[in-house]
Amino acid sequence: MMKPTTNPTAPDHDGDVRAGRAVQYDKLYAARARTDLVARLYAEAMGEDHPAEIAASSSCDWPLLGLATARLRLAPGQLLVDAGCGTGGVGLWLARATGARLQGFDLSPIAVAQAAARCPHFLPAGPERAVFRVAELEDTGLPTGCAHGVVCVDALGHAGDRGAALRELARLLAPGGRLVVTRALRRGAQPGWHEQVDAAGLHEEHVDERPGEPAMWERLYGLWIDHADQLRTELGPGPAERMLHEAHQVLPTLRGRRAVLLTLRRPPTGPAGPGRAVTMAAPKEPDARPAAPERILP
């Protein structure tokens, strides 16, 4: 959210940063729409786990779609919010699979336009099933308690304030609603999200391990580096160099990465109290390397 200032004429530094990020994302999404090269590299890296219809610039694979469907427990007609939706594939697939209505938002206007254009492919019944808008994780502009489910794939790690973003997504949930969100940390490290979850008034319902996610990124980043010249030719030097910078920066950290899907729930009645998931424990092997960033693209 925009922070108030005591000087109304002071420059909006946070706003400038967000605008700059939006421009970078716009360039990436526009470039990727001109060629199928990046989609083909994702398909090669994911193999049989690649859900081609999704066309996501994220770690979304078939196992993640299955987990998200099961954990959200949406009923037909309920509202699903896709936070940091990118080009919309994840939210549209889930809305079709569950019969839910969809509200998606992203920082990139180009991504939002691409997502809206994909609606008829997934939900041909009419535009009332899915709406996309430009918004931020920390300030969605959506009504309090409007959503029965929220999905956030590889986007929360790019919020300027993760705690504020999580509180904002929690605000959207109706009593009993669930948020499923991907997170990453070092193997053997204690999760740092417990306090943020408690502060958001949510309960950790499930922690599902995603053991194949780090290896997928390792394969994908290797492919990006191997196809560097082709990426520069087909995407242009700016978007290609941004992708290659990400690959070189993150690749050395992946052997120390633990990836999970968190399911967080708004209690059906009354205020939320601190709660912990009862599912899968973290691996115990220590690793001193830092966790990889969760993604550049939302």
Side-chain angles (χ1 to χ4, degrees):
M1 297 182 185
M2 296 291 293
K3 294 182 178 180
T5 175
T6 56
N7 180 2
T9 64
D12 181 5
H13 175 70
D14 290 345
D16 291 343
V17 170
R18 285 190 291 271
R21 290 173 57 216
V23 168
Q24 292 298 322
Y25 292 145
D26 278 349
K27 290 178 179 178
L28 280 165
Y29 283 116
R32 291 186 179 189
R34 296 194 296 266
T35 174
D36 68 349
L37 173 60
V38 176
R40 286 189 282 111
L41 297 181
Y42 269 92
E44 184 175 346
M46 287 189 178
E48 65 180 8
D49 286 338
H50 180 244
E53 188 181 29
I54 299 299
S57 298
S58 71
S59 64
C60 181
D61 54 14
W62 281 120
L64 180 63
L65 287 172
L67 269 176
T69 303
R71 296 307 189 205
L72 285 166
R73 303 184 187 182
L74 290 168
Q78 292 185 329
L79 179 66
L80 170 67
V81 171
D82 187 355
C85 65
T87 60
V90 174
L92 287 166
W93 191 96
L94 290 169
R96 184 180 63 190
T98 62
R101 296 174 293 116
L102 178 66
Q103 280 265 5
F105 68 86
D106 197 273
L107 186 62
S108 165
I110 286 182
V112 166
Q114 292 174 354
R118 300 178 69 191
C119 288
H121 172 74
F122 288 88
L123 304 171
E128 67 278 359
R129 281 282 303 280
V131 177
F132 293 92
R133 59 192 291 153
V134 177
E136 304 166 32
L137 290 170
E138 297 96 330
D139 187 6
T140 65
L142 294 171
T144 297
C146 66
H148 301 90
V150 178
V151 61
C152 184
V153 177
D154 296 354
L156 188 63
H158 304 288
D161 184 333
R162 293 185 191 183
L166 193 63
R167 291 192 298 273
E168 173 66 359
L169 297 183
R171 182 186 65 80
L172 305 182
L173 289 174
R178 293 175 173 89
L179 161 65
V180 295
V181 55
T182 56
R183 293 300 301 267
L185 68 161
R186 292 194 316 275
R187 291 194 192 122
Q190 290 299 313
W193 56 71
H194 291 320
E195 293 77 11
Q196 294 174 349
V197 170
D198 291 344
L202 301 178
H203 168 76
E204 293 180 24
E205 192 170 57
H206 296 283
V207 181
D208 290 295
E209 301 290 337
R210 303 181 62 209
E213 190 253 28
M216 186 284 292
W217 284 124
E218 190 170 9
R219 292 190 296 270
L220 181 64
Y221 288 142
L223 288 168
W224 287 3
I225 292 169
D226 290 344
H227 292 77
D229 290 341
Q230 193 175 358
L231 286 169
R232 294 185 181 102
T233 298
E234 298 196 23
L235 299 180
E241 293 305 330
R242 185 171 174 82
M243 290 172 61
L244 292 168
H245 174 76
E246 176 185 345
H248 285 291
Q249 180 184 50
V250 178
L251 191 56
T253 73
L254 290 172
R255 297 293 175 89
R257 179 182 175 104
R258 175 191 172 207
V260 302
L261 180 71
L262 298 181
T263 302
L264 310 174
R265 192 181 190 195
R266 169 75 68 194
T269 56
R276 295 287 176 259
V278 296
T279 51
M280 304 169 68
K284 299 300 182 182
E285 61 268 29
D287 194 310
R289 288 171 292 186
E294 292 176 37
R295 286 296 285 119
I296 278 183
L297 282 179

